[in-house]
Amino acid sequence: MKKVLYFFVIILIAIACRDEVIDPITLPDPDPDSEEKVEVRLPNLRIEGRYLKNDQGEIVNLHGSWMTNNPYFNDSKWGNWNVNDCLNYNKNLLDRVLEAGWKLTFIRLHMDQYWSDTPNSPHEFTYQRFNEARFKKYLDLVYVPMAEYIQSKGIYVVLLPGISCPHDIEVGDGTNELLIKYWGIVSQHPKIQGNRNIMFELINEPVNILGTDGTSGNSNQGHFDNLKIYMQSVVDKIRENADNIIWVPGLGYESIFHGYANNPIEGTDIGYSVHLYPGWMNSDGENGDGGIGDGGGYEPFQLGWDRQVKPVADFAPVIITEMDWAPSKYNASWGKSITGEVGGKGFGANFKYITDNSGNVSWLFFSGMERLAAFKDVPGTEGSYTFLNDPEACIWPCYHWFKEYANGTTAQEEGTLIGLAIDNADQHIEMLTGSSKHLLVKAIYANGTTCYIGSKATFTSSNHTCIEVSESGKIVAIKEGTATITIKYADAQGNSQTTSLTVTSTTFPLSLPSFNPSIFGEGTFNETTKTLITGQWGYGGWYYDGGVDISAYKYLIVELSGDNKCGAQFNLRDENNYWAKAAEYNFNNSRRIVVDIQQMYKTNDDGTRIKVDPTHIYYAGFWTFGNIPLSIDKIYFSETK
């Protein structure tokens, strides 16, 4: 949607200026004496494993904003391809942002196609409008000087090409060819080539690609196998010339990356560039009536991140080059949500916690530089907030978070540690086998403040075969059993605190929310009486995200505590699709069924029987006619019938 809007903006600008177009090829160079000299030498950056690091080997996570040299996005303060006015405006704008106190460590500099497209071109795609002579000229006149000026302020630069990515791409298409040419030009520029302070984001927001199976999409491994070929060709061209750090986008508007885990981009100094807005990755965005909470808060957001981004964050650094949020009433952000609180509703606080906890994520927020320049660090008044001072919009919290990042610590961490608390779990929790949960652990300080410590704590499990726990506090229920999770943390003064909880993993818990009475149809479940009432032709039971492995067991016994008056059957599916065929077991007049786990079969429409794979069961539960109670006694594994 943004690309469509952006394309029409460019056309409107060209139409508005068509009577006064200055030939960009013959435009005189600006006075070289007016060029700013680079005065600050930034530490070189490199990628080592999953981290971005500096010359001293320290982990670096960058935080910043974006800039584009286009009159539309510069409040129409200049126009007609006037280089001097453009540079003067944007340099002055950056100065005002820094004077306002912003602690920026990188800027995403969009090499806007305003400077590289053929004016008034009727073509839809950038590869059809691209003018190589214009691009080379304005790379020299606009983008290199702007990048130098940004660096002179002690700020790193991420260059983004002025190439709009079509909704559907394929290996070797016009955009692929243009990217190779474009980055070949950029990576050979003497002021960019090997400049470790200037990084490359290959392209903005790919959506779908033609996969190895002939389908266009962003979900299966074949899509990512071809995306690897597509992006690798561009990376290889850059590496013929330069060793600058490269940030590679994913699919789904730059939000889906899991396939790279199986087929990553090859080479050194390679990271991945991500876009993330409220509502994406199961995060909270505004719903239709302006309320917040469509995503369900922290845990679904974390699981969405784990599914879509963590597969690459586990082996390479990540940089988020688009993200923002604010209530829609301000009409000042792409993302519509609130800051909220860690563990609760809202986008901003949970976003910061998730990315901080990853330990290797750089990020910016996508509000324009004009707004950053207008910011004043003066609290607003509740009831009369503006976009710039509302704590629930991105500007205010980001300003103060950036200061904390620059200081390297938070005020809370400077206190004396006196205790630990787990925000989102009781002393004993029950988990569905195959599921995961992220603990929100809070340090409590003597000065009355608290701070989420995430990956800074140490987590251990007493029973790794059943319950695993990661360094960041992610608990995974491997198989049925119980474990004690112990959490330790020490403050800067060496004061140490410990807390613990007990975790039980069970495959068929008869408790909410693990038991879902409304997998199909609107049903209810009474935990006390263990009574299920499904909707008409409904289905209630368990869904296992990622599939649960029950192959180690011989029999599954399902027992009712009352007569079957609703045509109930128990079934299991080994496909991640509720409508897939299932192994079906009818109770008929019995209160008990026995499932031979190694001999489960589903029947196709043509009558053929296919064995159900017990290593990945996605759905298990009860189908009924609906609206009639079904009383469940127990469900358990057994070595005997």
Side-chain angles (χ1 to χ4, degrees), residues 270-291:
I270 304 293
Y272 294 86
S273 58
V274 175
H275 289 183
L276 175 52
Y277 287 103
W280 296 20
M281 302 182 198
N282 298 324
S283 61
D284 278 343
E286 286 192 4
N287 56 31
D289 60 6

Side-chain angles (χ1 to χ4, degrees), residues 98 149 427 458 466 632:
L98 298 178
Y149 191 77
Q427 289 303 112
T458 300
C466 294
I632 306 165

Side-chain angles (χ1 to χ4, degrees), residues 198-218:
I198 297 179
M199 297 168 274
F200 305 156
E201 180 182 357
L202 293 188
I203 193 170
N204 189 64
E205 292 194 343
V207 184
N208 294 329
I209 190 168
L210 186 68
T212 56
D213 62 354
T215 67
S216 185
N218 54 42

Side-chain angles (χ1 to χ4, degrees), residues 105-237:
T105 51
F106 88 98
I107 286 177
R108 183 201 200 204
L109 181 60
H110 183 200
M111 296 183 287
D112 199 286
Q113 50 261 60
Y114 174 86
W115 301 98
S116 54
D117 281 0
T118 299
N120 303 320
S121 170
H123 297 295
E124 176 183 0
F125 298 112
T126 309
Y127 67 82
Q128 299 168 313
R129 304 192 306 266
F130 180 72
N131 185 312
E132 184 174 343
R134 278 176 62 90
F135 176 58
K136 287 180 176 178
K137 182 175 184 70
Y138 289 120
L139 180 62
D140 278 335
L141 294 181
V142 176
Y143 287 105
V144 168
M146 199 66 233
E148 287 187 315
Y149 191 77
I150 293 169
Q151 292 171 84
S152 77
K153 302 299 181 179
I155 300 171
Y156 294 96
V157 176
V158 174
L159 293 178
L160 175 72
I163 300 175
S164 294
C165 190
H167 188 275
D168 295 276
I169 58 175
E170 61 180 285
V171 173
D173 65 9
T175 301
N176 199 178
E177 293 177 351
L178 176 56
L179 280 171
I180 293 170
K181 174 189 287 188
Y182 194 103
W183 284 114
I185 294 169
V186 174
S187 60
Q188 290 184 79
H189 195 285
K191 291 188 177 182
I192 296 176
Q193 185 179 50
N195 183 335
R196 305 291 290 182
N197 305 328
I198 297 179
M199 297 168 274
F200 305 156
E201 180 182 357
L202 293 188
I203 193 170
N204 189 64
E205 292 194 343
V207 184
N208 294 329
I209 190 168
L210 186 68
T212 56
D213 62 354
T215 67
S216 185
N218 54 42
S219 59
N220 66 44
Q221 188 59 47
H223 297 137
F224 277 91
D225 289 344
N226 272 359
L227 185 66
K228 189 266 182 74
I229 295 171
Y230 195 103
M231 296 301 171
Q232 190 72 55
S233 66
V234 185
V235 169
D236 291 346
K237 184 62 180 180

